[in-house]
Protein backbone atom coordinates (compact mmCIF):
# COMPACT_ATOMS: atom_id res chain seq x y z
CA UNK A 1 0.00 0.00 0.00
CA UNK A 2 2.77 2.39 0.88
CA UNK A 3 4.59 1.61 -2.34
CA UNK A 4 1.41 2.33 -4.35
CA UNK A 5 0.71 5.60 -2.54
CA UNK A 6 4.23 6.96 -2.67
CA UNK A 7 4.23 8.00 -6.37
CA UNK A 8 0.78 9.53 -5.99
CA UNK A 9 1.84 11.44 -2.91
CA UNK A 10 4.92 12.72 -4.74
CA UNK A 11 2.81 13.81 -7.70
CA UNK A 12 0.40 15.68 -5.44
CA UNK A 13 3.29 17.30 -3.60
CA UNK A 14 4.84 18.53 -6.86
CA UNK A 15 1.49 19.78 -8.15
CA UNK A 16 0.93 21.65 -4.92
CA UNK A 17 4.38 23.20 -5.08
CA UNK A 18 3.92 24.28 -8.69
CA UNK A 19 0.42 25.59 -8.09
CA UNK A 20 1.58 27.58 -5.10
CA UNK A 21 4.33 29.34 -7.06
CA UNK A 22 2.86 32.73 -8.00
CA UNK A 23 3.82 34.24 -11.34
CA UNK A 24 6.08 37.28 -11.15
CA UNK A 25 4.14 40.56 -11.47
CA UNK A 26 4.41 42.41 -14.77
CA UNK A 27 5.38 45.62 -12.99
CA UNK A 28 6.49 46.31 -9.43
CA UNK A 29 5.05 49.57 -8.03
CA UNK A 30 7.48 51.78 -6.13
CA UNK A 31 6.57 54.31 -3.43
CA UNK A 32 4.84 57.33 -4.99
CA UNK A 33 6.71 60.63 -5.21
CA UNK A 34 4.54 63.47 -3.96
CA UNK A 35 4.79 66.69 -5.95
CA UNK A 36 4.27 69.02 -3.03
CA UNK A 37 2.30 72.25 -3.04
CA UNK A 38 0.54 71.35 -6.26
CA UNK A 39 -2.79 70.05 -7.43
CA UNK A 40 -4.73 68.90 -10.45
CA UNK A 41 -4.27 66.45 -13.29
CA UNK A 42 -1.51 65.97 -15.86
CA UNK A 43 -1.06 66.05 -19.61
CA UNK A 44 1.89 64.28 -21.23
CA UNK A 45 5.12 63.13 -19.58
CA UNK A 46 8.63 63.10 -21.06
CA UNK A 47 11.89 61.49 -19.97
CA UNK A 48 15.03 63.45 -20.89
CA UNK A 49 17.50 60.58 -20.70
CA UNK A 50 20.65 62.67 -21.14
CA UNK A 51 19.69 65.04 -18.33
CA UNK A 52 18.07 62.24 -16.29
CA UNK A 53 14.85 64.15 -15.82
CA UNK A 54 11.16 63.40 -15.86
CA UNK A 55 9.15 66.33 -17.20
CA UNK A 56 5.47 66.51 -16.37
CA UNK A 57 2.99 68.77 -18.12
CA UNK A 58 1.01 69.54 -14.97
CA UNK A 59 -2.18 70.88 -16.50
CA UNK A 60 -4.19 71.33 -13.33
CA UNK A 61 -1.35 73.09 -11.51
CA UNK A 62 -0.44 75.47 -14.33
CA UNK A 63 3.21 74.36 -14.39
CA UNK A 64 5.83 72.26 -16.11
CA UNK A 65 7.27 70.07 -13.33
CA UNK A 66 10.84 68.78 -13.49
CA UNK A 67 11.78 65.68 -11.48
CA UNK A 68 15.39 64.51 -11.00
CA UNK A 69 15.51 60.79 -11.86
CA UNK A 70 18.66 60.25 -9.77
CA UNK A 71 17.11 61.52 -6.54
CA UNK A 72 13.45 61.22 -7.57
CA UNK A 73 12.87 64.69 -6.16
CA UNK A 74 11.25 67.76 -7.63
CA UNK A 75 13.82 70.14 -9.12
CA UNK A 76 11.62 72.96 -10.35
CA UNK A 77 8.12 74.01 -11.29
CA UNK A 78 7.99 76.43 -14.21
CA UNK A 79 4.84 78.54 -14.16
CA UNK A 80 3.51 78.74 -17.71
CA UNK A 81 -0.18 77.90 -17.39
CA UNK A 82 -2.20 74.77 -18.09
CA UNK A 83 0.58 72.75 -19.76
CA UNK A 84 -0.79 69.85 -21.80
CA UNK A 85 2.14 68.64 -23.91
CA UNK A 86 5.94 68.76 -23.72
CA UNK A 87 8.66 67.65 -26.17
CA UNK A 88 12.46 67.86 -26.36
CA UNK A 89 14.43 69.56 -29.12
CA UNK A 90 17.93 68.27 -28.30
CA UNK A 91 19.52 70.05 -31.27
CA UNK A 92 18.44 73.47 -30.02
CA UNK A 93 18.71 72.43 -26.34
CA UNK A 94 15.11 73.38 -25.63
CA UNK A 95 11.85 72.00 -24.36
CA UNK A 96 8.67 73.04 -26.14
CA UNK A 97 5.37 73.17 -24.26
CA UNK A 98 1.81 73.95 -25.30
CA UNK A 99 -0.92 75.08 -22.94
CA UNK A 100 -4.67 74.74 -23.05
CA UNK A 101 -6.40 77.57 -21.27
CA UNK A 102 -3.77 80.18 -22.17
CA UNK A 103 -3.49 78.99 -25.81
CA UNK A 104 0.27 79.46 -25.89
CA UNK A 105 3.47 77.85 -27.17
CA UNK A 106 6.56 78.08 -24.95
CA UNK A 107 10.28 77.49 -25.53
CA UNK A 108 12.23 76.63 -22.37
CA UNK A 109 16.01 76.60 -22.02
CA UNK A 110 17.02 73.01 -21.24
CA UNK A 111 19.92 73.98 -18.98
CA UNK A 112 18.55 76.99 -17.13
CA UNK A 113 14.95 75.69 -17.03
CA UNK A 114 13.69 79.16 -17.87
CA UNK A 115 11.22 80.39 -20.47
CA UNK A 116 13.13 81.95 -23.39
CA UNK A 117 10.27 82.48 -25.83
CA UNK A 118 6.51 82.26 -26.23
CA UNK A 119 3.70 83.18 -28.60
CA UNK A 120 -0.08 82.86 -28.73
CA UNK A 121 -1.75 80.05 -30.67
CA UNK A 122 -5.13 80.31 -32.44
CA UNK A 123 -6.63 77.89 -29.92
CA UNK A 124 -5.99 75.51 -27.05
CA UNK A 125 -3.64 72.65 -27.89
CA UNK A 126 -3.30 69.27 -26.22
CA UNK A 127 -0.52 67.56 -28.16
CA UNK A 128 2.59 68.26 -30.21
CA UNK A 129 5.58 66.53 -31.74
CA UNK A 130 8.98 67.58 -33.04
CA UNK A 131 9.28 67.29 -36.80
CA UNK A 132 11.17 64.32 -38.26
CA UNK A 133 14.95 64.51 -38.56
CA UNK A 134 15.92 67.33 -40.90
CA UNK A 135 12.54 69.08 -40.66
CA UNK A 136 12.86 72.23 -38.56
CA UNK A 137 9.24 72.43 -37.54
CA UNK A 138 7.03 71.53 -34.60
CA UNK A 139 3.59 70.05 -35.28
CA UNK A 140 0.67 70.66 -32.92
CA UNK A 141 -3.07 70.13 -33.04
CA UNK A 142 -5.88 72.15 -31.46
CA UNK A 143 -8.25 70.36 -29.13
CA UNK A 144 -11.33 69.36 -31.12
CA UNK A 145 -10.11 71.30 -34.15
CA UNK A 146 -9.92 70.54 -37.86
CA UNK A 147 -6.29 71.31 -38.58
CA UNK A 148 -2.68 70.69 -37.64
CA UNK A 149 -0.40 73.66 -37.04
CA UNK A 150 3.08 73.64 -38.56
CA UNK A 151 5.11 75.80 -36.17
CA UNK A 152 8.39 77.63 -36.75
CA UNK A 153 9.67 77.63 -33.18
CA UNK A 154 12.58 79.99 -33.94
CA UNK A 155 10.43 82.62 -35.63
CA UNK A 156 7.71 82.03 -33.00
CA UNK A 157 4.91 81.71 -35.51
CA UNK A 158 2.63 79.24 -37.27
CA UNK A 159 4.21 78.74 -40.68
CA UNK A 160 1.23 76.91 -42.18
CA UNK A 161 -1.85 74.85 -41.33
CA UNK A 162 -2.98 71.48 -42.62
CA UNK A 163 -6.70 70.58 -42.81
CA UNK A 164 -7.65 67.27 -41.19
CA UNK A 165 -10.96 65.70 -40.12
CA UNK A 166 -12.32 66.95 -36.80
CA UNK A 167 -10.71 65.77 -33.60
CA UNK A 168 -6.95 65.34 -34.09
CA UNK A 169 -5.46 63.87 -30.93
CA UNK A 170 -2.01 62.26 -30.85
CA UNK A 171 0.91 63.00 -33.18
CA UNK A 172 4.08 60.99 -33.71
CA UNK A 173 7.01 61.59 -36.09
CA UNK A 174 8.97 59.06 -38.15
CA UNK A 175 12.52 60.18 -38.93
CA UNK A 176 13.49 58.02 -41.88
CA UNK A 177 10.39 58.80 -43.96
CA UNK A 178 9.76 62.41 -42.86
CA UNK A 179 6.20 61.49 -41.95
CA UNK A 180 3.92 62.66 -39.14
CA UNK A 181 1.07 60.39 -38.09
CA UNK A 182 -2.06 61.98 -36.57
CA UNK A 183 -4.89 60.07 -34.91
CA UNK A 184 -8.35 61.53 -35.59
CA UNK A 185 -11.49 60.72 -33.59
CA UNK A 186 -14.27 61.93 -35.90
CA UNK A 187 -13.70 59.30 -38.59
CA UNK A 188 -11.53 56.78 -36.68
CA UNK A 189 -8.47 57.28 -38.85
CA UNK A 190 -4.77 58.06 -38.93
CA UNK A 191 -3.83 60.97 -41.16
CA UNK A 192 -0.40 60.81 -42.79
CA UNK A 193 1.54 64.06 -43.19
CA UNK A 194 4.55 64.36 -45.48
CA UNK A 195 6.56 66.81 -43.41
CA UNK A 196 8.84 69.54 -44.77
CA UNK A 197 10.06 72.96 -43.70
CA UNK A 198 8.09 74.87 -46.33
CA UNK A 199 5.47 72.57 -47.82
CA UNK A 200 4.02 69.91 -45.53
CA UNK A 201 1.11 68.03 -47.11
CA UNK A 202 -1.46 65.38 -46.19
CA UNK A 203 -0.36 62.18 -47.90
CA UNK A 204 -3.04 59.70 -46.88
CA UNK A 205 -5.80 58.58 -44.51
CA UNK A 206 -5.84 55.13 -42.94
CA UNK A 207 -8.85 53.53 -41.18
CA UNK A 208 -8.13 52.03 -37.76
CA UNK A 209 -11.20 49.83 -37.10
CA UNK A 210 -12.00 48.21 -34.71
CA UNK A 211 -10.42 51.02 -32.67
CA UNK A 212 -12.97 53.77 -31.99
CA UNK A 213 -12.03 57.34 -31.08
CA UNK A 214 -8.27 56.73 -31.54
CA UNK A 215 -6.50 58.90 -29.00
CA UNK A 216 -3.00 57.48 -28.56
CA UNK A 217 -0.15 56.54 -30.90
CA UNK A 218 3.26 54.89 -30.59
CA UNK A 219 5.77 53.98 -33.27
CA UNK A 220 8.08 50.96 -33.49
CA UNK A 221 10.82 52.32 -35.80
CA UNK A 222 12.63 49.01 -36.22
CA UNK A 223 12.57 46.83 -39.31
CA UNK A 224 9.28 47.10 -41.16
CA UNK A 225 8.05 49.80 -38.74
CA UNK A 226 4.77 49.39 -36.90
CA UNK A 227 2.30 52.00 -35.75
CA UNK A 228 0.29 51.23 -32.59
CA UNK A 229 -3.10 52.96 -32.38
CA UNK A 230 -5.19 52.86 -29.20
CA UNK A 231 -8.93 53.58 -29.23
CA UNK A 232 -11.00 54.81 -26.30
CA UNK A 233 -13.19 51.71 -26.75
CA UNK A 234 -10.50 49.32 -25.48
CA UNK A 235 -9.20 48.20 -28.86
CA UNK A 236 -5.60 48.45 -30.06
CA UNK A 237 -4.73 48.25 -33.76
CA UNK A 238 -1.30 47.65 -35.26
CA UNK A 239 -0.63 49.09 -38.72
CA UNK A 240 2.29 48.78 -41.09
CA UNK A 241 3.74 52.28 -41.03
CA UNK A 242 4.68 51.98 -44.66
CA UNK A 243 1.19 51.59 -46.10
CA UNK A 244 -1.37 51.48 -43.27
CA UNK A 245 -2.10 47.77 -43.64
CA UNK A 246 -3.68 46.31 -40.50
CA UNK A 247 -1.45 43.54 -39.13
CA UNK A 248 -2.85 42.97 -35.65
CA UNK A 249 -5.39 43.85 -32.98
CA UNK A 250 -5.64 43.39 -29.22
CA UNK A 251 -7.93 44.25 -26.33
CA UNK A 252 -6.70 46.84 -23.85
CA UNK A 253 -8.22 48.81 -20.99
CA UNK A 254 -10.90 51.28 -22.03
CA UNK A 255 -10.33 55.03 -21.90
CA UNK A 256 -6.65 54.96 -22.90
CA UNK A 257 -5.39 58.37 -24.09
CA UNK A 258 -1.60 57.85 -23.92
CA UNK A 259 0.59 54.82 -24.64
CA UNK A 260 4.33 54.17 -24.39
CA UNK A 261 6.51 51.70 -26.29
CA UNK A 262 9.74 50.10 -25.05
CA UNK A 263 11.54 48.66 -28.08
CA UNK A 264 14.25 46.97 -26.01
CA UNK A 265 11.76 45.07 -23.86
CA UNK A 266 9.27 44.63 -26.72
CA UNK A 267 6.54 45.95 -24.46
CA UNK A 268 3.68 48.35 -25.07
CA UNK A 269 2.09 50.02 -22.04
CA UNK A 270 -1.48 51.33 -22.18
CA UNK A 271 -2.66 53.14 -19.00
CA UNK A 272 -6.27 54.05 -18.38
CA UNK A 273 -7.91 56.53 -16.04
CA UNK A 274 -9.92 53.56 -14.74
CA UNK A 275 -6.87 52.45 -12.73
CA UNK A 276 -5.69 49.70 -15.08
CA UNK A 277 -2.57 49.54 -17.23
CA UNK A 278 -2.55 46.92 -19.99
CA UNK A 279 0.86 45.44 -20.79
CA UNK A 280 1.36 43.88 -24.22
CA UNK A 281 4.13 41.76 -25.70
CA UNK A 282 5.05 43.10 -29.14
CA UNK A 283 7.81 40.66 -30.11
CA UNK A 284 7.97 39.42 -33.67
CA UNK A 285 5.06 40.59 -35.77
CA UNK A 286 2.47 39.92 -33.09
CA UNK A 287 0.87 41.89 -30.30
CA UNK A 288 -0.35 39.94 -27.29
CA UNK A 289 -1.82 41.20 -23.99
CA UNK A 290 0.15 39.93 -20.99
CA UNK A 291 -2.28 41.28 -18.41
CA UNK A 292 -3.48 44.36 -16.57
CA UNK A 293 -1.56 46.07 -13.79
CA UNK A 294 -3.59 47.80 -11.08
CA UNK A 295 -2.55 51.43 -10.75
CA UNK A 296 -4.63 54.38 -9.47
CA UNK A 297 -7.79 55.91 -10.89
CA UNK A 298 -6.82 58.82 -13.11
CA UNK A 299 -3.28 57.54 -13.79
CA UNK A 300 -3.35 57.94 -17.57
CA UNK A 301 -0.17 59.99 -18.17
CA UNK A 302 2.86 57.81 -18.97
CA UNK A 303 6.54 57.86 -19.97
CA UNK A 304 9.23 55.17 -20.27
CA UNK A 305 12.74 55.65 -18.87
CA UNK A 306 14.92 54.24 -21.69
CA UNK A 307 17.86 53.67 -19.34
CA UNK A 308 16.12 51.65 -16.62
CA UNK A 309 12.97 50.66 -18.58
CA UNK A 310 10.90 51.87 -15.64
CA UNK A 311 7.35 53.04 -16.35
CA UNK A 312 6.37 56.40 -14.87
CA UNK A 313 2.76 57.45 -14.27
CA UNK A 314 1.36 60.70 -12.91
CA UNK A 315 -1.96 61.26 -11.17
CA UNK A 316 -3.84 63.00 -8.38
CA UNK A 317 -5.27 61.28 -5.33
CA UNK A 318 -6.84 62.75 -2.21
CA UNK A 319 -6.21 66.27 -3.44
CA UNK A 320 -2.46 65.65 -3.88
CA UNK A 321 -0.32 65.14 -6.98
CA UNK A 322 2.05 62.22 -7.49
CA UNK A 323 4.51 60.66 -9.90
CA UNK A 324 5.01 56.92 -9.46
CA UNK A 325 7.52 54.50 -10.88
CA UNK A 326 6.70 50.91 -11.88
CA UNK A 327 9.65 48.58 -12.42
CA UNK A 328 9.49 45.65 -14.90
Amino acid sequence: MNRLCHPLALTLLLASALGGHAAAPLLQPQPPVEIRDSRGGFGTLLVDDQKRRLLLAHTGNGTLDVLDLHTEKLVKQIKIGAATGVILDATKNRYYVVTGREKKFFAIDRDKLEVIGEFTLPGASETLTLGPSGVNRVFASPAGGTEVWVIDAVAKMIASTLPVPAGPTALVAEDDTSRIYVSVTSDDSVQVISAADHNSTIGGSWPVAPAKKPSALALDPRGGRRLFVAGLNGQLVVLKAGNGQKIGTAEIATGVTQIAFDAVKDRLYCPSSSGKLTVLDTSGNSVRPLGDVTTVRGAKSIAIDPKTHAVWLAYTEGGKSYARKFVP
Side-chain angles (χ1 to χ4, degrees):
M1 184 72 172
N2 287 342
R3 279 197 294 266
L4 291 173
C5 289
H6 181 70
L8 177 60
L10 180 60
T11 301
L12 291 173
L13 181 62
L14 287 171
S16 176
L18 290 172
H21 182 69
L26 293 169
L27 292 170
Q28 293 276 10
Q30 305 302 300
V33 179
E34 183 182 349
I35 301 175
R36 297 185 179 277
D37 301 319
S38 64
R39 63 183 181 179
F42 295 85
T44 60
L45 310 184
L46 170 71
V47 170
D48 183 345
D49 187 25
Q50 185 180 9
K51 295 289 188 181
R52 300 305 298 152
R53 292 172 179 159
L54 175 67
L55 293 104
L56 308 96
H58 201 161
T59 313
N61 198 53
T63 56
L64 177 69
D65 299 346
V66 184
L67 193 74
D68 186 313
L69 288 175
H70 292 297
T71 63
E72 297 187 1
K73 294 188 180 200
L74 188 68
V75 174
K76 191 171 184 178
Q77 289 184 305
I78 306 169
K79 293 185 178 181
I80 54 176
T84 53
V86 55
I87 56 172
L88 165 65
D89 186 342
T91 302
K92 293 183 174 62
N93 207 37
R94 298 175 176 180
Y95 301 122
Y96 298 127
V97 186
V98 288
T99 63
R101 182 176 56 250
E102 297 77 12
K103 304 176 184 177
K104 285 192 173 183
F105 177 96
F106 288 88
I108 296 173
D109 185 279
R110 190 182 178 198
D111 294 324
K112 296 178 181 179
L113 295 177
E114 296 174 353
V115 174
I116 56 174
E118 65 181 86
F119 72 96
T120 301
L121 297 168
S125 180
E126 293 184 351
T127 185
L128 75 168
T129 186
L130 196 67
S133 178
V135 178
N136 298 307
R137 293 290 184 264
V138 175
F139 294 75
S141 61
T146 56
E147 60 189 11
V148 171
W149 301 317
V150 185
I151 296 171
D152 185 332
V154 175
K156 294 185 285 188
M157 60 177 286
I158 293 179
S160 62
T161 60
L162 297 170
V164 295
T169 51
L171 299 96
V172 64
E174 185 176 43
D175 286 337
D176 61 339
T177 64
S178 293
R179 284 177 168 178
I180 304 285
Y181 301 105
V182 188
S183 56
V184 171
T185 58
S186 64
D187 66 353
D188 300 330
S189 72
V190 165
Q191 302 295 305
V192 184
I193 297 174
S194 297
D197 282 353
H198 302 295
N199 188 30
S200 295
T201 57
I202 300 294
S205 179
W206 299 338
V208 296
K212 297 289 186 183
K213 305 293 182 185
S215 297
L217 297 174
L219 181 68
D220 178 1
R222 304 169 301 172
R225 301 189 312 277
R226 294 177 295 172
L227 185 66
F228 303 105
V229 187
L232 290 176
N233 64 332
Q235 293 290 327
L236 178 94
V237 174
V238 188
L239 305 178
K240 278 188 177 181
N243 57 18
Q245 177 187 348
K246 184 171 68 177
I247 56 176
T249 62
E251 291 188 4
I252 58 175
T254 58
V256 170
T257 57
Q258 296 180 32
I259 58 179
F261 177 63
D262 187 335
V264 174
K265 292 285 187 182
D266 260 317
R267 293 288 184 270
L268 183 69
Y269 299 99
C270 305
S272 167
S273 57
S274 66
K276 290 183 178 180
L277 185 157
T278 302
V279 183
L280 301 105
D281 174 47
T282 62
S283 56
N285 289 319
S286 66
V287 57
R288 179 173 61 91
L290 298 175
D292 289 337
V293 175
T294 300
T295 58
V296 176
R297 291 192 68 83
K300 59 182 177 59
S301 300
I302 187 170
I304 300 289
D305 184 341
K307 183 176 181 179
T308 66
H309 305 286
V311 177
W312 281 92
L313 299 178
Y315 58 92
T316 62
E317 186 178 40
K320 297 181 179 180
S321 300
Y322 298 95
R324 192 170 193 180
K325 180 170 67 174
F326 291 75
V327 179

